[in-house]
C-alpha cells in the first residue's frame, strides 16, 4: 500500500490557468481544416471557425492559444495576412510540406478565434527573417487604441477597437529554425526587438517571452538570462518526447511494445529534471528575477501516420499519450510557483493533438480528456502533496520513472482536487491517502483508463473517455483506492 499525504495547509502558489494552454501553428491541417475552414465551407462554422472544434475546446477549458508558430513564425510576415482575402499574398510554407499558404487566416482571424474560444492570445513574432519595424508595427496594429498608422490600418480592416494581446514571443527556436543563432547574439536581438514592442494597453502589460532552450541546453538558458534578465516575463523551453530518442526513427504512435511504452514514459518524465534544472540556472543567474519559465512546446512526437504527408506531422493518440499528458501536467502543477504557461503541441491534427479531424468528422483524443479532467486545477492553489511509489525500469538513458505521479490543489471554497497518474501499463497500485487536519465529508472521483494502445478514432469516437471511478473508499481523514494500470484519476474531496 503506497502512502499519499495531502497537506491543504501548505499553500504553495496559484496554478496559472495558462499551464493548460495549446499551441497552433500553420502546419499541416492544424490551422487550415482543423480550426479554420473558411466562411464558405460546408462544415458548420462561425466566421470561418469550425463550430464543433470551438465548442470542444471551450468544453476542455482552453485558457490560452499560441500562434502562428513554431518555425513558421520566423518566416511569417503579418501584413501578408490582413485585408481583403482575395488579394492576400500566397507563399510556400517551406518548413511544413511545401504547401501553398494563402494567408486567409491572419491576425484578425486569430483574434476572432480567441474571442470565440474565450481564451487569451499568445502571438509569436518574427526575429529570424523579420525586421524590428515589422514587429513593432504588428504590436501597434494589434493593441494601439488611438490615432496611428497601424491603428488606422486595423480600423480599415473592420476592427475599430484593439485586440486583447496577453503574451508576445520575441522569436521562436532562435537556436535552430528561427535563425541558428548563438545565445549571446539572440539575447542582444531580443533586447533590441523588445524595446520597440510598446505597451499600448494602459494598465495591461504585454507579457514578453524570450526564446529559451532546446531541451537540456542549460548554457542557452544561462546566457540568455544573463543578458535579457528582467526584460522578459518568461523564457520558453521546448521539449518533445520521442519514444526512441532518435529523430530518424521516432517510433509509431499506435504500434509499440512494452519497452517502447516504458521508454516513452521515461522520456516524458524527464520533463521534471529539465524544469528543475532550468529553474536552478535561472535562479543562479538572478535570484530576484521575476522571469518565469514557459514550456510553449511539449508533447509526444512520433513517425507520421502511414500514407500521410511527412511534413504535416499527423499522428494518432492513445492511452499512452493520456499518461504522458497526465504526468506532465502534474509536473507543471507542482512547479506552479515558477511556471507561468505551457502549450501542448499542437491543438488539432499535429503531434500530440487534443482533437483530430477528417472532413466534417471530429474526434477528441485521450489527451483531450486529460486536459478536460484537469481543468479544475486552473487558478486553484497548489498545496503540498507527497506520495510513495515504486519505480518502473526503462532501458533508455533516462532510466527509471515513478509509477505514481500526482498533484493536488484547493479551490476558493476549500474543495480539494487531486490528480494521480498510474504510469504502469500493467500494474495497479493501492494507495492510502491522508489529508492533514481535514475531516472528509464526501469524495467523488473520475478516471480515464484503458489498455495502453486504446485510442479514439473516426469509427469509435468515445472509446477512451472520462468515466466515474468507484474503486475507492472514503476514510474519516482521506481515502483508500486501487488505481488501475495505465490510468489518470481525479479525486474531488469535500470537507
Ligand atoms: O511543433 C512543431 C515544430 O517543433 C515547431 O514548429 C518548432 O518550433 C519545433 O521544432
Amino acid at each position: 500500500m503506497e502512502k499519499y499525504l495531502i497537506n491543504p495547509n501548505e499553500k504553495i502558489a496559484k496554478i496559472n490557468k495558462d499551464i493548460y494552454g495549446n499551441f497552433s501553428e500553420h502546419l499541416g491541417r492544424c490551422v487550415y481544416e482543423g480550426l479554420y475552414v473558411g466562411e464558405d465551407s460546408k462544415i458548420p462554422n462561425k466566421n470561418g471557425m469550425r463550430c464543433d472544434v470551438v465548442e470542444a475546446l471551450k468544453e476542455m477549458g482552453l485558457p490560452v492559444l499560441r500562434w502562428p508558430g513554431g518555425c513558421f513564425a520566423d518566416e511569417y510576415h503579418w501584413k501578408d495576412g490582413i485585408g481583403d482575402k482575395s488579394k492576400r499574398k500566397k507563399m510556400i510554407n517551406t518548413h511544413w510540406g511545401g504547401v501553398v499558404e494563402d494567408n486567409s487566416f491572419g491576425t484578425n482571424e486569430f483574434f476572432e478565434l480567441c474571442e470565440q474560444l474565450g481564451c487569451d492570445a499568445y502571438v509569436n513574432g518574427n526575429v529570424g527573417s523579420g525586421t524590428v519595424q515589422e514587429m513593432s508595427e504588428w504590436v501597434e496594429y494589434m493593441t494601439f487604441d488611438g490615432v496611428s498608422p497601424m491603428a488606422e490600418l486595423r480600423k480599415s480592416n473592420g476592427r475599430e477597437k484593439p485586440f486583447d494581446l496577453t503574451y508576445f514571443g520575441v522569436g521562436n527556436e532562435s537556436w535552430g529554425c528561427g535563425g541558428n543563432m548563438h545565445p549571446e547574439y539572440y539575447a542582444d536581438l531580443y533586447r533590441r526587438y523588445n524595446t520597440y514592442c510598446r505597451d499600448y494597453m494602459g494598465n495591461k502589460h504585454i507579457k514578453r517571452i524570450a526564446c529559451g532552450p532546446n531541451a537540456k541546453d542549460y548554457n542557452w538558458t544561462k546566457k540568455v538570462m544573463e543578458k535579457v534578465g528582467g526584460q522578459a516575463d518568461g523564457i520558453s523551453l521546448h521539449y518533445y518526447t520521442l519514444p526512441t530518442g532518435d529523430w530518424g526513427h521516432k517510433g509509431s504512435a499506435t504500434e509499440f511494445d512494452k519497452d517502447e511504452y516504458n521508454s516513452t514514459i521515461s522520456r516524458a518524465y524527464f520533463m521534471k529534471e529539465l524544469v528543475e534544472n532550468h529553474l536552478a540556472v535561472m535562479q543562479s543567474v538572478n535570484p530576484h528575477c521575476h522571469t518565469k519559465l514557459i514550456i510553449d512546446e511539449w508533447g509526444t512526437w512520433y513517425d507520421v501516420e502511414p500514407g500521410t504527408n511527412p511534413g504535416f506531422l499527423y499522428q494518432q493518440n492513445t492511452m499512452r499519450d493520456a499518461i504522458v499528458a497526465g504526468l506532465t501536467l502534474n509536473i507543471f502543477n507542482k512547479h506552479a510557483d515558477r511556471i507561468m504557461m505551457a502549450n501542448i503541441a499542437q491543438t488539432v491534427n499535429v503531434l500530440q493533438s487534443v482533437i483530430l479531424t477528417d472532413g466534417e468528422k471530429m474526434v477528441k483524443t485521450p489527451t483531450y480528456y486529460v486536459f478536460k479532467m484537469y481543468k479544475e486545477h486552473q487558478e486553484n492553489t497548489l498545496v503540498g502533496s507527497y506520495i510513495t511509489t515504486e519505480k518502473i525500469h526503462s532501458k533508455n538513458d533516462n532510466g527509471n520513472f515513478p509509477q505514481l505521479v500526482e498533484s493536488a490543489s484547493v479551490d476558493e471554497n476549500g474543495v480539494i482536487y487531486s490528480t494521480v497518474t498510474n504510469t504502469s501499463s500493467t500494474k495497479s497500485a493501492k494507495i492510502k491517502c491522508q489529508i492533514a487536519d481535514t475531516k472528509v465529508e464526501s469524495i467523488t472521483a473520475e478516471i480515464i483508463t484503458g489498455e495502453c494502445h486504446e485510442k479514439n478514432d473516426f469509427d469509435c469516437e468515445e472509446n477512451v473517455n472520462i468515466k466515474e471511478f468507484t474503486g475507492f473508499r472514503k476514510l474519516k481523514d482521506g481515502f483508500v483506492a486501487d488505481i488501475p494500470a495505465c490510468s489518470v484519476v481525479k479525486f474531488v474531496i469535500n470537507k
Side-chain angles (χ1 to χ4, degrees), residues 23 25-27 66 68-74 95-96 172-173 175 177-178 214 238 240 247 296-298 301 313 344-346 350-351:
F23 165 43
E25 181 168 12
H26 288 235
L27 194 178
R66 176 178 184 237
C71 296
F72 182 79
D74 280 291
H95 276 294
W96 305 119
N172 168 75
E173 295 195 354
W175 38 262
C177 65
N214 178 19
H238 286 186
Y240 286 99
W247 285 96
D296 60 17
E297 288 188 30
W298 69 272
W301 192 324
L313 311 186
I344 194 169
Q346 300 193 5
V350 171
L351 301 177

Side-chain angles (χ1 to χ4, degrees), residues 60-221:
M60 189 185 82
L62 181 70
V64 62
L65 191 60
R66 176 178 184 237
W67 170 85
C71 296
F72 182 79
D74 280 291
E75 60 178 357
Y76 183 61
H77 300 286
W78 68 271
K79 283 186 184 165
D80 297 346
I82 55 169
D84 181 347
K85 286 190 189 175
S86 65
K87 299 203 177 94
R88 292 187 193 177
K89 249 192 219 169
K90 295 191 174 42
M91 64 184 274
I92 300 296
N93 189 335
T94 51
H95 276 294
W96 305 119
V99 291
V100 175
E101 161 66 59
D102 70 1
N103 278 303
S104 55
F105 188 95
T107 305
N108 292 50
E109 288 74 24
F110 173 64
F111 282 97
E112 164 75 25
L113 175 62
C114 291
E115 284 169 9
Q116 288 190 26
L117 290 167
C119 76
D120 286 343
Y122 172 13
V123 171
N124 211 118
N126 177 348
V127 171
S129 70
T131 64
V132 175
Q133 181 180 359
E134 184 181 1
M135 185 180 285
S136 166
E137 287 184 342
W138 199 7
V139 174
E140 182 186 325
Y141 179 90
M142 291 186 279
T143 61
F144 189 71
D145 190 10
V147 179
S148 85
M150 293 304 116
E152 294 312 308
L153 184 58
R154 185 188 68 237
K155 289 174 197 169
S156 73
N157 289 329
R159 176 74 183 206
E160 183 66 27
K161 283 283 156 202
F163 299 113
D164 190 5
L165 178 64
T166 304
Y167 297 98
F168 190 78
V170 181
N172 168 75
E173 295 195 354
S174 306
W175 38 262
C177 65
N180 285 305
M181 302 174 200
H182 293 125
E184 296 87 349
Y185 179 68
Y186 167 73
D188 281 336
L189 283 189
Y190 174 91
R191 294 172 69 96
R192 179 166 166 235
Y193 277 68
N194 182 51
T195 303
Y196 300 95
C197 294
R198 309 290 190 195
D199 270 324
Y200 294 117
M201 293 188 294
N203 290 336
K204 183 165 172 175
H205 162 68
I206 303 166
K207 296 191 180 84
R208 317 302 165 83
I209 312 301
C211 166
N214 178 19
K216 55 184 176 186
D217 185 352
Y218 301 114
N219 182 51
W220 181 279
T221 302

Side-chain angles (χ1 to χ4, degrees), residues 204-311:
K204 183 165 172 175
H205 162 68
I206 303 166
K207 296 191 180 84
R208 317 302 165 83
I209 312 301
C211 166
N214 178 19
K216 55 184 176 186
D217 185 352
Y218 301 114
N219 182 51
W220 181 279
T221 302
K222 181 169 182 289
K223 293 283 162 46
V224 172
M225 283 297 294
E226 278 168 358
K227 283 201 163 189
V228 162
Q231 294 187 31
D233 299 281
I235 179 165
S236 71
L237 160 69
H238 286 186
Y239 175 65
Y240 286 99
T241 298
L242 279 62
T244 60
D246 171 3
W247 285 96
H249 167 65
K250 298 180 270 296
S252 158
T254 52
E255 286 165 30
F256 48 89
D257 61 15
K258 192 169 177 193
D259 281 348
E260 203 161 297
Y261 172 90
N262 284 345
S263 167
T264 309
I265 304 303
S266 154
R267 289 178 198 281
Y269 189 70
F270 184 56
M271 181 66 90
K272 178 172 185 286
E273 184 176 325
L274 284 176
V275 162
E276 288 173 358
N277 287 351
H278 283 293
L279 286 174
V281 173
M282 290 161 69
Q283 184 82 12
S284 73
V285 173
N286 187 345
H288 307 295
C289 185
H290 72 279
T291 308
K292 296 263 170 83
L293 188 63
I294 308 286
I295 304 96
D296 60 17
E297 288 188 30
W298 69 272
T300 52
W301 192 324
Y302 306 122
D303 294 330
V304 297
E305 287 304 308
T308 64
N309 186 330

Side-chain angles (χ1 to χ4, degrees), residues 336-354:
D337 54 337
R338 304 285 310 280
I339 296 181
M340 176 158 64
M341 173 166 58
N343 311 75
I344 194 169
Q346 300 193 5
T347 316
V348 196
N349 294 330
V350 171
L351 301 177
Q352 192 177 347
S353 312
V354 295

